[in-house]
Amino acid sequence: MALTAQHLTPAFRQAAFRLDDPDEFSVAVSGGSLRADFLAAPARPTLIEQFQSQAWAIDFHEAHVRARIFGGLPQGWASLGIMCSPTPSTWYGMEAPSGTMVCTPPGEPIDGCTNFGFQCFSVGLSPRLWEHCRQAASPETAAFGPCVSHPLTPSVFARLTQKVCAVRERLRQASKAPAFSGIAAEEAARLVTWLGIMAWEQRAAAPPSRDSLRNRARLARRAEALMRRHLGEPMQIPDLCVALSVSRRELEYAFRSAFDQSPRDFLQALRLNAIRRELQRSRAPVIDVAFQHGMSHLGRFAASYRQLFGEKPSQTKCQ
């Protein structure tokens, strides 16, 4: 991970990151802690730019990797992500093309998959600001409910993109001239508040949830949890189907919907990511680590590892 820039001002903090390794993604959301597992070899490093105050955060993401993303926000905080990439990503089991707002309320985990060319900006709202937005938009609604996504109209998306670009430039300028940080922070707070109110308004007017999509997402996450618990065992996809009491077709459909990948390829990627983490911190022989994570064919393992991470397992190994 390369921290390319960091500035402190009286009103907010700015940071920029260049991420190459799955474990470096823990910093990808301001104040949060993410876990990433690469599902395909990255085309180039992921770029993150962050601005954060005590009440709000604005993050800009440009990812060039297919990756499974999961993690938590700071306690009591909410997150709203605006998708800007031409290729859809998947969040909470729902496809999110460009112009979609993805809402993660307090207490819910960030849960999705990035795709090649992924671009988005997200805002974080402190508990106090989130409550202010609720009272301004929908005081009769006590709770936001589960994570959801909403398509924005083209005019709203265009207007929002223009506002965000202007605020980003103001924040960048203020990072170099702290005397203007207060003005820039106020502009950022207004933008974040506007988005928070919009999220509550859309939530109040939203139609009933699409249960079929949510059911597929839940099935995929249950299967993923089983995979992670049994990475060191020779588990096969039919074993998962039996454990979950579902057909192979159901499981395949759930994984394609939630992760855009087959269960077999997803399990292989989880094992390879777990092996990489172990090699980075362990002095155990590569062959032992591979066997401990369910790899039975060492030749295929080495080729798959190099294809995903761009180096041999022995090059990753802790010296």
Side-chain angles (χ1 to χ4, degrees), residues 226-227 229-240 267-268 271 290-297:
L226 273 175
M227 289 177 176
R229 286 201 298 270
H230 299 282
L231 286 180
E233 302 172 18
M235 174 180 280
Q236 302 297 323
I237 302 307
D239 302 325
L240 275 174
L267 176 58
Q268 173 84 344
R271 284 175 167 153
F291 280 134
Q292 289 167 7
H293 289 83
M295 293 294 179
S296 57
H297 193 293

Side-chain angles (χ1 to χ4, degrees), residues 151-170:
L152 302 176
T153 65
S155 61
V156 169
F157 179 55
R159 181 183 171 202
L160 175 57
T161 302
Q162 185 178 31
K163 280 180 172 288
V164 168
C165 289
V167 168
R168 185 182 195 179
E169 187 58 32
R170 296 278 197 282

Side-chain angles (χ1 to χ4, degrees), residues 184-252:
E186 287 177 6
E187 287 191 40
R190 285 195 292 270
L191 170 66
V192 173
T193 302
W194 177 45
L195 279 169
I197 292 173
M198 184 190 304
W200 276 103
E201 289 175 342
Q202 290 188 336
R203 182 60 176 167
S209 63
R210 293 168 288 177
D211 288 337
S212 60
L213 287 176
R214 295 196 182 281
N215 288 339
R216 289 200 295 270
R218 281 193 287 267
L219 173 57
R221 286 196 291 269
R222 286 171 57 211
E224 179 188 6
L226 273 175
M227 289 177 176
R228 291 187 185 277
R229 286 201 298 270
H230 299 282
L231 286 180
E233 302 172 18
M235 174 180 280
Q236 302 297 323
I237 302 307
D239 302 325
L240 275 174
C241 294
V242 171
L244 296 167
S245 300
V246 298
S247 68
R248 183 159 189 157
R249 182 177 180 180
E250 286 179 277
L251 193 65
E252 289 274 350

Side-chain angles (χ1 to χ4, degrees), residues 2-7 12-19 27-30 46-52 56-63 120-123 164-165 167-176:
L3 176 61
T4 56
Q6 180 167 323
H7 301 283
F12 65 90
R13 178 182 70 91
Q14 181 206 27
F17 301 93
R18 178 186 174 96
L19 311 178
V27 301
V29 171
S30 289
T46 290
L47 305 178
I48 309 287
E49 185 175 23
Q50 299 173 340
F51 303 92
Q52 185 177 18
W56 54 264
I58 303 178
D59 296 350
F60 298 88
H61 304 85
E62 182 184 328
C120 91
F121 61 86
S122 63
V123 301
V164 168
C165 289
V167 168
R168 185 182 195 179
E169 187 58 32
R170 296 278 197 282
L171 292 170
R172 283 175 168 174
Q173 292 172 354
S175 295
K176 300 175 183 178

Side-chain angles (χ1 to χ4, degrees), residues 19-283:
L19 311 178
D20 297 282
D21 190 83
D23 283 353
E24 294 174 353
F25 279 67
S26 61
V27 301
V29 171
S30 289
S33 180
L34 293 190
R35 179 190 179 102
D37 290 293
F38 285 2
L39 303 179
R44 53 184 186 270
T46 290
L47 305 178
I48 309 287
E49 185 175 23
Q50 299 173 340
F51 303 92
Q52 185 177 18
S53 76
Q54 293 183 342
W56 54 264
I58 303 178
D59 296 350
F60 298 88
H61 304 85
E62 182 184 328
H64 302 281
V65 61
R66 292 189 62 242
R68 172 74 171 108
I69 305 294
F70 193 89
L73 294 166
Q75 186 173 3
W77 281 60
S79 176
L80 309 173
I82 310 298
M83 303 300 117
C84 302
S85 48
T87 303
S89 53
T90 304
W91 297 97
Y92 312 109
M94 296 170 283
E95 190 174 83
S98 181
T100 301
M101 174 190 283
V102 178
C103 308
T104 309
E108 294 289 336
I110 294 172
D111 180 352
C113 290
T114 62
N115 216 328
F116 292 107
F118 174 78
Q119 293 181 40
C120 91
F121 61 86
S122 63
V123 301
L125 297 90
S126 66
R128 183 175 180 180
L129 184 54
W130 183 243
E131 173 61 15
H132 168 77
C133 293
R134 182 192 72 83
Q135 292 180 3
S138 185
E140 70 284 357
T141 305
F144 191 85
C147 306
V148 293
S149 64
H150 298 293
L152 302 176
T153 65
S155 61
V156 169
F157 179 55
R159 181 183 171 202
L160 175 57
T161 302
Q162 185 178 31
K163 280 180 172 288
V164 168
C165 289
V167 168
R168 185 182 195 179
E169 187 58 32
R170 296 278 197 282
L171 292 170
R172 283 175 168 174
Q173 292 172 354
S175 295
K176 300 175 183 178
F180 299 100
S181 63
I183 297 173
E186 287 177 6
E187 287 191 40
R190 285 195 292 270
L191 170 66
V192 173
T193 302
W194 177 45
L195 279 169
I197 292 173
M198 184 190 304
W200 276 103
E201 289 175 342
Q202 290 188 336
R203 182 60 176 167
S209 63
R210 293 168 288 177
D211 288 337
S212 60
L213 287 176
R214 295 196 182 281
N215 288 339
R216 289 200 295 270
R218 281 193 287 267
L219 173 57
R221 286 196 291 269
R222 286 171 57 211
E224 179 188 6
L226 273 175
M227 289 177 176
R228 291 187 185 277
R229 286 201 298 270
H230 299 282
L231 286 180
E233 302 172 18
M235 174 180 280
Q236 302 297 323
I237 302 307
D239 302 325
L240 275 174
C241 294
V242 171
L244 296 167
S245 300
V246 298
S247 68
R248 183 159 189 157
R249 182 177 180 180
E250 286 179 277
L251 193 65
E252 289 274 350
Y253 195 39
F255 269 75
R256 290 292 181 186
S257 176
F259 305 134
D260 193 27
Q261 196 162 34
S262 72
R264 179 181 177 277
D265 289 344
F266 189 85
L267 176 58
Q268 173 84 344
L270 290 187
R271 284 175 167 153
L272 292 173
N273 280 268
I275 289 169
R276 182 174 182 82
R277 292 185 176 100
E278 183 65 23
L279 291 175
Q280 288 174 330
R281 64 173 181 262
S282 170
R283 296 184 181 276

